Amino acid sequence: MVLNSETPIIGTIISLFSDSGPQVIFNSTKTLVSEDQALNLAIRIMTLIGEQGRTEIYGPLPVPSNEQYLCLAYSFRVQATYTTDERLRERPSIICIIFKREFKRDMSRAHGLI
């Protein structure tokens, strides 16, 4: 539990696996985590999760090129409305909650609340 008034969460990044590979569709952390860093994070997490893409939370994981932040990644699947690849009818998708490294212990304990 965070005892001070500072919030540990700095934002959210949402990505999905498109026909051309991982794609960031939302990044509320643009001033702190660039689009390139967000895409790099999406690629790393989707590689970590693999084809199974089980619905669960992964992390805390490092944010590439940004040592002051970590993330918790929630994986899930969404139905594609259009795809040229039938294997991607259900697209692996990820919501990353980006937080300050000093709150690692607090965020690790929050897995059950997310």
Side-chain angles (χ1 to χ4, degrees):
M1 180 173 195
V2 179
L3 298 177
N4 63 21
S5 61
E6 185 179 16
T7 179
I9 298 172
I10 64 153
T12 305
I13 297 172
I14 301 173
S15 56
L16 61 81
F17 199 86
S18 69
D19 284 1
S20 60
Q23 177 182 6
V24 174
I25 60 172
F26 177 77
N27 180 1
S28 71
T29 65
K30 289 179 185 172
T31 59
L32 302 170
V33 179
S34 71
E35 289 298 317
D36 288 341
Q37 290 170 327
L39 179 59
N40 191 342
L41 179 62
I43 292 168
R44 288 175 185 226
I45 292 173
M46 288 187 183
T47 301
L48 171 74
I49 293 170
E51 289 180 24
Q52 293 79 17
R54 294 177 25 193
T55 301
E56 58 184 84
I57 295 178
Y58 298 86
L61 302 168
V63 175
S65 305
N66 208 326
E67 300 220 358
Q68 60 189 3
Y69 303 121
L70 295 171
C71 76
L72 290 177
Y74 174 72
S75 67
F76 61 99
R77 292 184 165 276
V78 295
Q79 292 289 327
T81 54
Y82 172 79
T83 183
T84 58
D85 188 342
E86 289 300 316
R87 297 173 296 171
L88 294 175
R89 273 285 165 219
E90 283 194 350
R91 297 184 187 273
S93 304
I94 298 169
I95 296 176
C96 289
I97 299 170
I98 310 298
F99 61 94
K100 297 172 187 168
R101 184 175 285 276
E102 63 260 26
F103 294 105
K104 179 180 178 179
R105 179 176 290 171
D106 298 318
M107 293 301 291
S108 294
R109 283 186 262 162
H111 272 219
L113 301 174
I114 298 174

